[in-house]
Amino acid sequence: MSSQARAPFLSALGCYVIWGFMPLLFMGQAAFGFTSLEILSHRALWSVLFAGCLVLLASQSGQVRTALSQPRTLAWLVLATVLIAVNWGVYVWATTHQATLEASLGYYINPLLNMVVGLWLFRERIDRWGWVAIGLAAVGVLFQALALGRPPWISLILAFSFGAYGVIKKRVPVEAQAGLFIECLILLPFGIAYVVWLQASGLGHGFSSLEGFGWALLNGPATVLPLALFAFAARRMPLSTMGFIQFLAPTLQFCVGLATGEHFTVLRGVSFAFIWLGAGVFAAAALLRARAARRAAEDAALPV
């Protein structure tokens, strides 16, 4: 791998590894006494500072001002904020309530769901291998529902909320860092209000001790750093390569769920087997398409 290609690859690897081990951060905070809502509030609170630093480093402060002055763009970002708040809230609750396995399933489903959304909204084409991957994932979700005795609501909410968030981010002409800063800015008043109420009631943990403050502060870089790495990698790497690496995060989340003793039955194993098979078909098909496109480009570049 050339030095030029190594940096984006390591950035993509870094962001998905951080996302994969994120449950450990929330579990640690929960063990210290943080509730899910308190974690979410501190996430909104401290992310603003780190996202603001990224905006300055990327020279995107002009984009922030422009977006805030355009009612239509701001309305879309408010909707994106609601979706990411739901996603963060459900994910934090799941990872602190012995449901990390179900949460990981949602992020296996997400790229396959994106194909369906692309077909529906953007008239993108799905080849036969794409439909095979979607079908395998659907069977996996069905087995998961049978294993749980209910629909896998956590998985579905995470997949659909993040999928819808991605659609909005694709439509809104704002860079990732600037968009995240505005989203955190929208969440900031709610985060501050809840943290202040907790501290006034004697129920808060983020400002109760130096250790508690350290746990709370970690939410900022843990939220912003992987997104910055992702934005750097996505602009410099083939999407097929990103498609392979993106399954690292839910795989690590799955391992964390197993390592922390979550209930895992044969039926859940069958469910994940179908999901993994679907993810494998998705990734392999993406790689084959990328190779075919590269060969076509090389052939077109040959002298006649």
Side-chain angles (χ1 to χ4, degrees):
M1 185 181 293
S2 67
S3 57
Q4 188 176 6
R6 190 179 297 117
F9 176 78
L10 292 176
S11 295
L13 199 64
C15 85
Y16 287 117
V17 167
I18 293 172
W19 279 331
F21 286 117
M22 192 82 79
L24 294 176
L25 171 63
F26 302 140
M27 290 174 187
Q29 291 178 3
F32 189 79
F34 285 80
T35 64
S36 302
L37 195 53
E38 186 177 7
I39 294 171
L40 185 62
S41 299
H42 279 287
R43 197 172 186 184
L45 177 61
W46 299 111
S47 294
V48 169
L49 297 180
F50 289 91
C53 290
L54 275 185
V55 166
L56 293 175
L57 288 173
S59 302
Q60 293 180 5
S61 54
Q63 278 203 34
V64 172
R65 288 192 296 271
T66 300
L68 291 174
S69 66
Q70 296 175 340
R72 182 180 176 82
T73 300
L74 188 57
W76 279 114
L77 287 173
V78 168
L79 181 56
T81 303
V82 171
L83 290 167
I84 203 62
V86 169
N87 185 272
W88 286 359
V90 171
Y91 186 71
V92 169
W93 186 93
T95 55
T96 56
H97 286 79
Q98 288 284 293
T100 304
L101 290 175
E102 192 177 343
S104 72
L105 180 69
Y107 290 108
Y108 279 119
I109 296 171
N110 180 250
L112 305 175
L113 175 67
N114 286 344
M115 285 198 294
V116 178
V117 172
L119 173 68
W120 178 42
L121 289 181
F122 304 110
R123 299 295 186 266
E124 295 175 0
R125 182 175 169 271
I126 301 178
D127 61 21
R128 65 178 181 277
W129 292 114
W131 286 115
V132 168
I134 292 167
L136 289 168
V139 173
V141 170
L142 178 60
F143 273 106
Q144 188 77 190
L146 292 173
L148 295 170
R150 59 170 175 78
W153 294 117
I154 292 172
S155 307
L156 296 174
I157 291 172
L158 289 175
F160 278 92
S161 61
F162 199 70
Y165 175 76
V167 169
I168 292 174
K169 297 292 279 186
K170 187 173 181 178
R171 287 180 174 272
V172 176
V174 180
E175 292 291 338
Q177 291 91 333
L180 178 66
F181 175 69
I182 294 172
E183 290 154 20
C184 291
L185 207 59
I186 294 168
L187 287 173
L188 182 62
F190 303 98
I192 290 176
Y194 190 69
V195 168
V196 168
W197 179 82
L198 282 176
Q199 294 301 134
S201 305
L203 303 172
H205 299 84
F207 295 97
S208 61
S209 66
L210 188 60
E211 185 181 356
F213 179 74
W215 277 117
L217 187 61
L218 277 174
N219 285 293
T223 299
V224 174
L225 178 59
L227 183 76
L229 292 172
F230 175 82
F232 177 83
R235 289 180 175 276
R236 295 165 176 83
M237 282 182 67
L239 289 178
S240 58
T241 309
M242 292 291 287
F244 270 111
I245 302 175
Q246 71 181 325
F247 291 112
L248 177 61
T251 301
L252 291 174
Q253 292 163 11
F254 176 85
C255 292
V256 168
L258 284 184
T260 53
E262 290 189 18
H263 186 56
F264 190 71
T265 63
V266 173
L267 203 54
R268 292 194 85 175
V270 172
S271 166
F272 274 99
F274 274 99
I275 293 293
W276 290 330
L277 189 55
V281 170
F282 170 88
L287 181 62
L288 290 173
R289 284 195 301 271
R291 285 179 175 174
R294 186 163 57 249
R295 282 196 299 268
E298 289 171 354
D299 291 343
L302 292 175
V304 180

